[in-house]
Amino acid sequence: MRAVLVLYFRYFLRWDEDLATAIYHAFVALCYLTPILGAIIADSWLGKFKTIIYLSIVYTIGQLVISVSSIADMSDNDSDGHPNNLHLHIALAMVGLILIAFGTGGIKPCVSAFGGDQFEDNQVKERGRFFSIFYLSINAGSLLSTIITPILRGLHCGRVPQACYPVAFGVPGALMAVALLVFIGGSSLYKKSTPQGNIMLKVSKCIGFAIKNRFRHRSEQYPKREHFMDWATEKYDEHLIAQVKMVLKVLFLYIPLPMFWALFDQQGSRWTFQATRMDGNFGGLDIQPDQMQTVNPILILILVPVVDVIVYPLIAKCKLNFTPLRKMTVGMFLAALAFIAAALVQMEIDKTLPIFPTGEQGQIKIINVGKSPVNVALGGVSPSHLLAPSEASEYISVTAVNIENVSVTYGVKTVTYPTVINNGSRHTLLVTDILQPAMKLLDDIEEKPEEGKNAIRFATALTDVDNITMDGTEFGSLNKLSATNYSLFTKGTKMISYVINGKLCSQDSKEFGFGSSFTIIINEECPTENFKITYIEDIEPNSVHMAWQIPQYLLITSGEVVFSVTGLAFSYSQAPSNMKSVLQAGWLLTNAVGNIIVLIVAEASTIQEQWAEYILFAALLIAVCIVFATMAYFYTYVDPLEVEAEIGQELAKEKEAAEKQTGIENGSVLVIQSNL
């Protein structure tokens, strides 16, 4: 569902890129915060099985709600394919996303653990195989979804055919419902453990008591203790306190980690927007902007075995001490390099983007749709522009207030027309001598067409051009000097047809690329099959190829492999067995905080250039990487089993000593009593 979410925000709800990015990352952050709540519910109240069922229902309802929110026909009163009551759609979308976030929060911490519960203690090999299949399933699902969901979005649906977000959101919801029914169907086969209480609550209470007790005894009359957790000894046993100390030691290392996730999760937001301004033609395969995310799971499936089987053994043969924390440092550095690569790609894209007018500037293009050469003079602007039939000028930048009239000269006849150019806008001026000299000022689109599509409109000076269609999309009719509105089309060749003087004219269009805009001039009444229509390019197609995003995906996925996989393994190796859920919660929390960082930057940053924002994130991560490397240098690795064994031995000795002391005291009492 996330594969198309940011495009839904941008092009259906009509939010700008910064707001769409901010809400996207707020949603992802919530998805990584709610698993803590889900784990508490499962361990303290419902158990894993019921938690999965109940919150999967919430999940499915949320998917249904966001699918309904994307049905434009609910409020499309003027039948233009766009919703009129955006507040209704936004409200439904937010409700749906909140339900999904809470649903995934119930599932994320429970499914893998519930699967692990199905194995006996001696089935280590089988349990390991299950987790391998489980991880493979996740990546297979990610791969399939990032391929299929954008295809579903690309379908046309609704009264006015538009991008089919209802199907793109609805199909995952339906599959989720099917998966839930299959899961429930195996109920009698499962081992279901009863809730034993949540260790996270116990740890939180222990830490809270230590802080509160330390605050109560903050005066100098109380002796200092070696660790602040030692202030919990009045209420909690030393074994728990020692375990919490080990966990806190790892959690302290987590402090710099959110910055990695701040960069990593922008694959679904900023990088997707970047892809909308690129050329997705891979030979015979056209890749949609949101499908480029497919590169990540593909590379994961390739790089995980390559790194484990080839890279790490080679490093070991070179006798380099490549510790887990050093691997994580390298992963962070690779992610920073990925954003430097993204910035370089963005610079190349920016060179190809049209320069739209701002402030008091305006732009005007002149198209001669007449049958004779024309000379057009913009009042207050020199020089004049001489154009042959079916020829167009480039966009001319003008100070809008200075253009008060336009003079059109065909042969010896000159006609002057009053004209108003709006500030910060683009216009096309159609001029003709068919029937009589005339001109018409059109409003042009003022940004790149959405989703990498092509914006097409028709213009003519002929009489009664009816039933203009392209690829099944109806443009209506034109009469004399006039033009249609723009409609959006995907890449490729389209069938154009129209009726003039009762005769049907049809032919294939030129090959459209990605992100272009054209005004198509209907010049003649199709006397032959190869009749002439003229294509005037308003915005040139995307020319920087999407393949240039592959290096940044390769770098950030390599970073993910050595950072994420290693980080979880390291965390588990440094914590007591009964504290692993606490570290899992801490790990998910770093992801949530990382997305909150992106949210803040997207909304608060005053940086205008996207490449500069990429450099900012890369610089921040490099700085954090240096801090983390310093922390890692001073970290001392421990074996939790040995530490717990030592603690157990100490507690046993203390217990034995206490029992001896109790025996001595009891003996003394007996002697005294006998003497009495």
Side-chain angles (χ1 to χ4, degrees):
M1 185 275 293
R2 278 172 56 186
V4 300
L5 185 59
V6 74
L7 298 182
Y8 166 71
F9 289 158
R10 177 69 183 89
Y11 300 120
F12 186 88
L13 298 183
R14 299 288 161 181
W15 291 341
D16 62 38
E17 289 190 10
D18 287 340
L19 180 58
T21 299
I23 300 300
Y24 174 88
H25 287 283
F27 167 67
V28 176
L30 187 59
C31 288
Y32 282 104
L33 285 172
T34 51
I36 299 172
L37 179 62
I40 292 171
I41 291 172
D43 292 343
S44 305
W45 182 24
L46 294 177
K48 297 183 185 72
F49 179 73
K50 289 183 179 179
T51 301
I52 293 170
I53 290 177
Y54 294 157
L55 290 179
S56 289
I57 293 171
V58 172
Y59 195 134
T60 306
I61 293 172
Q63 198 70 45
L64 174 64
V65 171
I66 194 171
S67 179
V68 171
S69 79
S70 62
I71 301 175
D73 290 348
M74 284 198 306
S75 65
D76 183 14
N77 301 325
D78 49 10
S79 298
D80 65 349
H82 298 295
N84 295 105
N85 186 0
L86 273 178
H87 296 296
L88 170 64
H89 294 273
I90 290 171
L92 286 172
M94 294 304 102
V95 170
L97 290 176
I98 290 170
L99 290 175
I100 290 169
F102 278 95
T104 194
I107 295 167
K108 201 180 289 287
C110 295
V111 173
S112 59
F114 184 71
D117 289 346
Q118 306 309 305
F119 298 91
E120 302 294 341
D121 291 340
N122 61 343
Q123 294 179 306
V124 177
K125 184 178 179 181
E126 290 82 357
R127 186 188 292 113
R129 187 177 300 136
F130 163 76
F131 282 119
S132 296
I133 296 171
F134 180 73
Y135 186 72
L136 181 64
S137 299
I138 291 172
N139 282 281
S142 176
L143 177 60
L144 288 172
S145 67
T146 48
I147 293 172
I148 296 172
T149 313
I151 293 174
L152 297 176
R153 175 190 61 78
L155 300 175
H156 284 176
C157 58
R159 285 181 297 175
V160 179
Q162 295 290 331
C164 205
Y165 290 105
V167 174
F169 290 137
V171 169
L175 294 175
M176 185 67 196
V178 172
L180 176 59
L181 292 174
V182 172
F183 178 73
I184 294 172
S187 176
S188 61
L189 305 173
Y190 304 144
K191 288 195 296 184
K192 303 165 191 172
S193 56
T194 55
Q196 301 294 322
N198 189 269
I199 189 66
M200 283 189 291
L201 291 176
K202 194 173 182 180
V203 169
S204 300
K205 288 178 180 178
C206 182
I207 295 172
F209 179 80
I211 294 171
K212 185 167 63 175
N213 198 33
R214 175 68 184 90
F215 184 76
R216 285 177 185 164
H217 301 84
R218 62 187 181 276
S219 65
E220 294 182 359
Q221 68 184 73
Y222 297 102
K224 292 183 178 180
R225 301 185 184 181
E226 186 178 347
H227 193 283
F228 89 91
M229 281 305 303
D230 293 331
W231 290 96
T233 52
E234 283 84 346
K235 185 174 181 180
Y236 295 91
D237 65 80
E238 292 185 10
H239 188 247
L240 175 64
I241 293 171
Q243 290 178 322
V244 172
K245 287 179 182 178
M246 284 190 283
V247 168
L248 289 177
K249 188 178 178 182
V250 177
L251 290 179
F252 177 71
L253 282 175
Y254 282 3
I255 293 174
L257 303 190
M259 203 64 223
F260 174 86
W261 299 116
L263 277 68
F264 180 80
D265 280 330
Q266 289 189 57
Q267 293 175 81
S269 56
R270 293 297 198 199
W271 286 14
T272 299
F273 284 136
Q274 185 184 64
T276 64
R277 299 177 177 90
M278 302 180 78
D279 179 5
N281 181 18
F282 286 79
L285 183 65
D286 293 332
I287 300 296
Q288 298 303 313
D290 36 356
Q291 285 180 315
M292 274 304 290
Q293 299 173 60
T294 308
V295 175
N296 176 254
I298 292 174
L299 288 174
I300 281 284
L301 295 174
I302 295 170
L303 290 176
V304 168
V306 167
V307 168
D308 284 341
V309 177
I310 300 174
V311 177
Y312 289 161
L314 282 176
I315 292 174
K317 281 188 176 182
C318 295
K319 297 183 179 179
L320 296 174
N321 187 18
F322 202 34
T323 63
L325 293 180
R326 288 176 182 172
K327 292 176 184 176
M328 294 174 68
T329 305
V330 170
M332 297 168 80
F333 184 70
L334 288 172
L337 289 179
F339 264 63
I340 293 173
L344 295 174
V345 171
Q346 189 64 46
M347 289 177 187
E348 292 302 312
I349 293 172
D350 290 347
K351 292 176 185 177
T352 68
L353 295 178
I355 300 173
F356 294 103
T358 58
E360 296 182 353
Q361 292 293 310
Q363 290 179 345
I364 188 167
K365 171 186 283 190
I366 306 165
I367 303 177
N368 181 11
V369 292
K371 294 186 176 180
S372 307
V374 66
N375 195 320
V376 179
L378 303 175
V381 178
S382 61
S384 60
H385 301 273
L386 181 63
L387 301 171
S390 300
E391 186 182 2
S393 70
E394 298 295 327
Y395 276 104
I396 306 158
S397 293
V398 298
T399 302
V401 294
N402 292 342
I403 306 298
E404 297 180 354
N405 57 70
V406 174
S407 296
V408 179
T409 302
Y410 279 100
V412 296
K413 186 172 184 180
T414 299
V415 182
T416 301
Y417 303 92
T419 304
V420 177
I421 304 294
N422 297 322
N423 291 340
S425 61
R426 271 189 162 195
H427 299 279
T428 289
L429 181 68
L430 299 179
V431 295
T432 187
D433 63 344
I434 297 176
L435 300 179
Q436 62 182 19
M439 62 149 275
K440 186 174 183 64
L441 192 67
L442 308 177
D443 293 328
D444 295 356
I445 62 171
E446 295 170 6
E447 61 179 358
K448 271 280 194 177
E450 61 189 55
E451 302 176 27
K453 293 181 179 178
N454 302 283
I456 308 295
R457 68 179 173 186
F458 289 85
T460 191
L462 303 178
T463 303
D464 295 329
V465 182
D466 299 320
N467 300 330
I468 303 171
T469 63
M470 188 165 104
D471 199 35
T473 299
E474 297 180 358
F475 285 84
S477 300
L478 295 175
N479 187 32
K480 299 180 180 178
L481 189 62
S482 54
T484 67
N485 293 324
Y486 285 103
S487 288
L488 295 177
F489 296 88
T490 56
K491 176 187 176 294
T493 302
K494 314 296 178 183
M495 173 58 71
I496 295 174
S497 66
Y498 58 89
V499 175
I500 186 167
N501 294 331
K503 184 177 180 181
L504 176 64
C505 309
S506 62
Q507 68 172 236
D508 287 333
S509 71
K510 64 172 289 180
E511 176 85 15
F512 295 111
F514 289 86
S516 66
S517 174
F518 285 90
T519 298
I520 300 177
I521 308 299
I522 299 176
N523 305 81
E524 54 190 43
E525 302 175 3
C526 58
T528 63
E529 289 186 4
N530 297 320
F531 60 92
K532 180 183 178 183
I533 55 178
T534 303
Y535 296 84
I536 305 298
E537 185 179 86
D538 302 330
I539 296 176
E540 66 180 42
N542 302 342
S543 56
V544 179
H545 202 276
M546 278 188 199
W548 285 109
Q549 278 196 322
I550 293 176
Q552 65 201 54
Y553 272 102
L554 177 61
L555 285 166
I556 205 160
T557 306
S558 301
E560 178 191 7
V561 170
V562 295
F563 176 88
S564 182
V565 177
T566 305
L568 277 174
F570 162 77
S571 302
Y572 276 41
S573 72
Q574 296 296 292
S577 57
N578 64 332
M579 295 283 176
K580 298 194 189 303
S581 61
V582 179
L583 288 178
Q584 176 73 8
W587 185 263
L588 294 173
L589 188 62
T590 65
N591 205 314
V593 175
N595 281 274
I596 292 171
I597 291 171
V598 184
L599 186 161
I600 294 170
V601 171
E603 282 299 288
S605 174
T606 57
I607 297 174
Q608 298 296 320
E609 301 292 341
Q610 185 57 56
W611 65 263
E613 185 179 289
Y614 289 147
I615 294 294
L616 171 65
F617 275 109
L620 289 173
L621 185 55
I622 289 173
V624 167
C625 186
I626 294 170
V627 172
F628 182 76
T630 305
M631 295 168 66
Y633 179 79
F634 291 101
Y635 182 84
T636 303
Y637 291 83
V638 298
D639 185 343
L641 295 177
E642 289 183 6
V643 174
E644 289 192 80
E646 290 174 4
I647 295 170
Q649 289 174 3
E650 290 178 8
L651 290 175
K653 288 178 182 178
E654 290 175 5
K655 184 178 180 182
E656 184 180 347
E659 288 175 351
K660 285 182 179 179
Q661 183 64 33
T662 303
I664 292 170
E665 290 174 354
N666 290 340
S668 300
V669 170
L670 289 173
V671 169
I672 292 169
Q673 287 178 341
S674 63
N675 289 338
L676 289 173

